[in-house]
Amino acid sequence: MKKIRIAVQKSGRLNEDSMRILKEIGIAIDNGKDQLKASARNFPLEVFYLRNGDIPQYLRDGVVDVAIIGENVLIEKGSDLQFVERLGFSKCKVSIAVPKSSKANSLKDLAGKRIATSYPNTVQKYLQQNAIDANLHTISGSVEIAPSIGLADGICDIVSSGSTLFKNGLKEIEVLFESEAVLAVSPLISEEMSTILEKIQFRIKAVLKGRNSKYILLNAPNDKLSEIISVLPGMKSPTVLPLAKNGWSSVHSVIDKGQFWEIIDELKASGAEGILVCPIENMVI
């Protein structure tokens, strides 16, 4: 059976997160140090370890079928390529920043100024959309030092925690867009590989749904049952089982991780007791 070829970043945080999600969807990779590619033991898949910026061209040429890549890189170097899944990790922003001492407080203040960036296509398009004329300096790496050495009046780069901007005396004045890892697809992918990709997507959706959900069990007095159930969205409806103690029931449901504490507060106020919350590894829907 032919193997689907997936590209991941050769090293760094995105590589670690990519290999982690492949492991979580049950794909075991035999990869040694400095390998350029490796095969899965239990799934028709082969991993290519590539430089992030080279991945869009490999997709375009059909050298790989799919790739886990930052959306920011796809926008910069692969705007003609499609992605089929947002993966929820390696989140960042692509932002414009200037020295804290700068009088510039908005994008329009950089009209006629110099902007250093590793994302010239992205920045140029954004400037045109906002009718701003600025001079771009394309540089690779260490973009944040450009203003301090007199190379530029501002920069455009990825921002995660903001600590790098802080350390280099910069302030963010414009966010172009937010980015995360995505599953991108080659326009030349075959029907056979598309079928395998569907299986990968199915597993990824189950993992991501599990990451964003919590399983909750609680005890509820029967006279408060309707009120408590109304607080729990569940997948379809909560599971309700009678307890040995007369007049009480056990309620089981799934709640969104982002609403966890708000829901817990409402449940307690409605009379729920013995609330137990468990993580969910995978959730198939």
Side-chain angles (χ1 to χ4, degrees):
M1 184 178 185
K2 289 184 178 180
K3 297 180 178 182
I4 191 169
R5 300 159 299 176
I6 182 169
V8 302
Q9 188 180 48
K10 189 175 182 180
S11 60
R13 178 66 182 275
L14 185 53
N15 168 275
E16 295 171 6
D17 289 338
S18 299
M19 299 311 294
R20 183 179 298 113
I21 198 166
L22 289 177
K23 182 179 180 180
E24 288 178 346
I25 64 172
I27 297 177
I29 308 294
D30 289 321
N31 60 314
K33 187 177 180 181
D34 299 326
Q35 275 187 284
L36 296 180
K37 64 179 182 177
S39 294
R41 296 196 305 271
N42 59 349
F43 194 86
L45 178 142
E46 190 172 34
V47 179
F48 284 61
Y49 301 97
L50 305 172
R51 288 179 62 250
N52 215 23
D54 294 339
I55 291 177
Q57 192 60 49
Y58 278 80
L59 284 167
R60 199 176 284 116
D61 293 341
V63 176
V64 294
D65 302 301
V66 293
I68 297 176
I69 186 173
E71 187 180 2
N72 56 303
V73 177
L74 203 62
I75 289 173
E76 173 64 22
K77 295 190 173 184
S79 58
D80 56 318
L81 300 170
Q82 302 295 317
F83 67 85
V84 295
E85 203 73 52
R86 293 185 177 275
L87 301 177
F89 55 79
S90 295
K91 293 185 177 182
C92 64
K93 297 179 291 183
V94 175
S95 302
I96 290 177
V98 297
K100 291 180 179 178
S101 59
S102 173
K103 294 181 180 179
N105 291 303
S106 65
L107 183 65
K108 65 181 181 180
D109 294 330
L110 290 179
K113 303 294 185 179
R114 301 163 300 166
I115 301 175
T117 185
S118 299
Y119 299 90
N121 297 327
T122 300
V123 179
Q124 187 62 56
K125 183 178 180 180
Y126 192 81
L127 291 174
Q128 290 174 351
Q129 290 173 344
N130 288 275
I132 302 294
D133 185 19
N135 301 311
L136 295 187
H137 288 267
T138 304
I139 58 178
S140 299
S142 302
V143 174
E144 62 276 356
I145 69 169
S148 65
I149 61 175
L151 183 63
D153 301 292
I155 68 164
C156 182
D157 202 9
I158 58 172
V159 177
S160 296
S161 65
S163 61
T164 301
L165 293 184
F166 179 78
K167 290 176 183 176
N168 286 276
L170 300 171
K171 63 180 180 181
E172 181 183 79
I173 63 169
E174 186 89 9
V175 177
L176 279 63
F177 59 86
E178 295 184 348
S179 172
E180 64 183 277
V182 297
L183 188 64
V185 183
S186 168
L188 303 178
I189 189 171
S190 68
E191 186 175 340
E192 182 181 3
M193 294 303 106
S194 292
T195 300
I196 299 175
L197 175 59
E198 288 176 4
K199 294 179 181 179
I200 292 173
Q201 279 186 263
F202 175 79
R203 295 187 185 190
I204 287 176
K205 287 178 186 292
V207 168
L208 296 181
K209 187 66 177 175
R211 285 182 182 178
N212 294 322
S213 304
K214 296 280 189 181
Y215 188 73
I216 186 168
L217 304 88
L218 58 90
N219 297 329
N222 289 345
D223 60 346
K224 295 284 187 178
L225 203 51
S226 295
E227 183 180 345
I228 288 171
I229 287 175
S230 69
V231 176
L232 295 167
M235 296 174 66
K236 289 186 178 178
S237 66
T239 299
V240 180
L241 301 171
L243 289 179
K245 184 177 180 180
N246 190 40
W248 284 77
S249 295
S250 174
V251 180
H252 301 217
S253 189
V254 173
I255 61 176
D256 184 86
K257 188 176 179 180
Q259 298 178 296
F260 171 72
W261 286 113
E262 291 83 354
I263 291 175
I264 295 297
D265 288 341
E266 287 188 57
L267 289 171
K268 285 180 64 63
S270 298
E273 296 181 7
I275 302 172
L276 177 64
V277 180
C278 306
I280 299 174
E281 187 171 331
N282 296 317
M283 197 160 95
V284 180
I285 55 175

